[in-house]
Amino acid sequence: MKNYLLLRAIRKDPIERFPVWLMRQAGRYMREYRDLRAREEDFLSFCKNVDLAVEVSLLPLRLLGVDAVIIFSDILVPLEALGVKVEFLEGEGPRLEWGGRISDLKKYDPQENAYVYEIIRRVKKAQDEVPVIGFAGAPFTLLSYLIEGGASRDFRKTKVFMWEREFDFNRLMEMLTDVVYQYLSRQIEAGADMVQVFDSWALHLGRSDYEEFVLPYVSELIEKLKERFDTPVSYFFRGSSSFIDLVRETKADVLSVDWSVDLSLEALRTDKVLQGNLEPTVLYAKEDTVKFKTLELLRSIPRKTGYVFNLGHGLAPDMDFDKVKLLVETVKNYRIN
Ligand code: CP3
């Protein structure tokens, strides 16, 4: 087993610089991604084309020199395995269709997502310079896609469902927690060196709703994974400043946060490893600003904090590749003294 910088940072071993990877590091902002993307008509076929998905996964390692490869896929692929029709419409985002009753969903067979585990095995075989990150959507974020049928501004259907049909909400959350548990277990067995759970949409909830309806399931998911595997588990949750004191109590190894928290203060309150936090919008500013904001964040991290550099949310398609590269280089050149 290689002594990867990312894993050393997570174990809080002494490191000379902070590791860096970026959410959505393989995407449309890269010309090479767009060229490969053009080889498949629809996005899901692209995700299932193992040769292409492996190649895409490796682009950020080759072009940016990041310290980890996150496998190329999408959080919605396990929902397709439940019998949900999942489509990605140009400029509109995901659209999901299903009967709407829990009984309309198929029992999850993790083998339906076998291509994902194959991508992990192949990415590991293709290189051993950096660790491989597997991922899944968190139960609540997946549930919100099922209930809204796609993107939403205010998540009104999800919230009304949660408040008025608590029994069904809990049944669906239980089921999705088990789906994600099985799916991530298989990714770890295929060789993932870390897994990240993406809770992109919990930020729309009030704190007491997060505590009652989201936290118990995420906690259970992470606990079950940690009972079975040593592999580090990272939890990305937007709305970080509202929920971080609750999330600190989970068994997650890594808290992946948005830009609403001050990392220098957070580091004083937790022993957990912190990840993320740079506002992605910084990448729309000029080069000096990108460098300044990146260094400002790096300098704010107290010594002895386990920290992994990342953004507070993903890269966007209209970002400039050269600025992303400058960002990665700035982090890699920064020495911890
Ligand atoms: O980080 C990586 O590089 C790995 C790949 C990855 C993708 N999606 C590829 C993708 C990961 C980790 C995701 C996670 C994901 N997908 C999340 C959680 C993280 C977050 O951003 O909050 C969510 C909410 C989704 C659902 C989803 N999939 C959305 C909202 C979209 C964008 C729709 C659009 O057209 O902009 C997708 C599609 C998607 N997933 C793309 C990529 C590169 C773009 C589709 C394309 O290339 O045509």
Side-chain angles (χ1 to χ4, degrees):
M1 183 87 166
K2 284 210 44 167
N3 209 6
Y4 295 120
L5 180 64
L6 176 82
L7 301 181
R8 281 194 283 141
I10 292 173
R11 284 196 303 264
K12 297 195 178 183
D13 290 348
I15 48 172
E16 55 291 347
R17 64 171 181 87
F18 293 117
V20 50
W21 70 278
L22 304 170
M23 291 187 274
R24 294 277 183 101
Q25 62 188 18
R28 283 169 289 186
Y29 77 98
M30 281 178 170
R31 184 176 40 78
E32 293 79 357
Y33 173 90
R34 296 192 299 268
D35 290 346
L36 293 168
R37 176 70 186 83
R39 296 209 219 155
E40 288 282 355
E41 183 100 24
D42 67 282
F43 182 67
L44 277 180
S45 311
F46 188 52
C47 292
K48 289 177 190 170
N49 184 324
V50 174
D51 289 331
L52 285 180
V54 169
E55 219 177 312
V56 172
S57 304
L58 292 169
L59 286 177
L61 173 63
R62 305 287 182 236
L63 302 174
L64 296 170
V66 286
D67 295 306
V69 166
I70 181 163
I71 53 152
F72 187 77
S73 190
D74 195 79
I75 59 164
L76 300 179
V77 306
L79 297 183
E80 198 194 26
L82 299 176
V84 176
K85 188 170 159 219
V86 181
E87 282 180 301
F88 290 82
L89 305 169
E90 204 58 51
E92 210 186 294
R95 184 189 288 170
L96 293 83
E97 267 176 56
W98 59 297
R101 289 184 313 239
I102 298 176
S103 57
D104 294 322
L105 297 172
K106 284 200 283 185
K107 182 175 154 43
Y108 182 61
D109 174 3
Q111 204 48 35
E112 296 261 342
N113 295 125
Y115 54 94
V116 173
Y117 324 131
E118 183 59 19
I119 293 164
I120 293 174
R121 279 190 288 269
R122 296 261 299 271
V123 170
K124 284 206 72 78
K125 215 186 261 174
Q127 60 79 38
D128 70 351
E129 295 148 65
V130 299
V132 173
I133 302 172
F135 71 89
F140 179 78
T141 289
L142 293 178
L143 178 139
S144 72
Y145 273 107
L146 281 179
I147 301 300
E148 302 292 334
S152 171
R153 215 172 264 278
D154 54 12
F155 292 82
R156 67 175 76 173
K157 289 186 193 155
T158 305
K159 291 183 185 184
V160 170
F161 176 70
M162 180 178 88
W163 291 323
E164 293 184 348
R165 293 175 56 201
E166 206 175 316
F167 179 80
D168 286 335
F169 174 88
N170 283 318
R171 268 214 309 159
L172 195 50
M173 284 292 278
E174 258 167 48
M175 196 194 102
L176 291 169
T177 302
D178 186 57
V179 168
V180 177
Y181 168 69
Q182 292 189 58
Y183 181 53
L184 287 178
S185 295
R186 295 290 293 266
Q187 293 188 37
I188 294 170
E189 284 165 357
D193 297 292
M194 169 170 120
V195 290
Q196 178 153 308
V197 177
F198 284 91
D199 224 345
S200 303
W201 299 131
L203 89 150
H204 293 277
L205 295 180
R207 194 184 137 88
S208 61
D209 283 335
Y210 179 84
E211 187 169 15
E212 180 176 353
F213 294 109
V214 178
L215 186 68
Y217 297 98
V218 184
S219 300
E220 185 197 317
L221 167 68
I222 297 170
E223 195 162 333
K224 281 179 73 182
L225 289 168
K226 293 307 296 179
E227 272 168 20
R228 188 162 159 196
F229 304 103
D230 289 334
T231 308
V233 177
S234 166
Y235 178 52
F236 168 67
F237 59 111
R238 291 167 70 201
S240 305
S241 60
S242 318
F243 309 139
I244 195 157
D245 58 316
L246 301 169
V247 173
R248 252 189 248 134
E249 306 303 318
T250 67
K251 298 234 158 45
D253 301 277
V254 181
L255 306 184
S256 189
V257 294
D258 65 19
W259 55 96
S260 64
V261 292
D262 179 336
L263 280 187
S264 63
L265 296 178
E266 195 45 43
L268 304 174
R269 298 187 189 112
T270 183
D271 292 333
K272 288 196 189 291
V273 176
L274 300 168
Q275 175 179 270
N277 186 253
L278 186 76
E279 278 201 60
T281 307
V282 164
L283 285 157
Y284 295 114
K286 61 181 195 286
E287 294 191 346
D288 285 351
T289 310
V290 173
K291 251 181 127 157
F292 177 82
K293 295 298 286 179
T294 304
L295 288 171
E296 179 184 61
L297 169 57
L298 291 166
R299 290 186 187 122
S300 79
I301 310 295
R303 288 187 62 184
K304 299 197 173 138
T305 303
Y307 175 65
V308 178
F309 187 91
N310 207 316
L311 301 172
H313 195 199
L315 289 168
D318 62 351
M319 284 171 177
D320 176 16
F321 176 83
D322 292 332
K323 287 193 187 140
V324 178
K325 180 134 180 134
L326 173 69
L327 171 78
V328 172
E329 277 164 6
T330 305
V331 181
K332 289 180 76 174
N333 289 330
Y334 179 81
R335 289 283 163 275
I336 304 169
N337 44 50

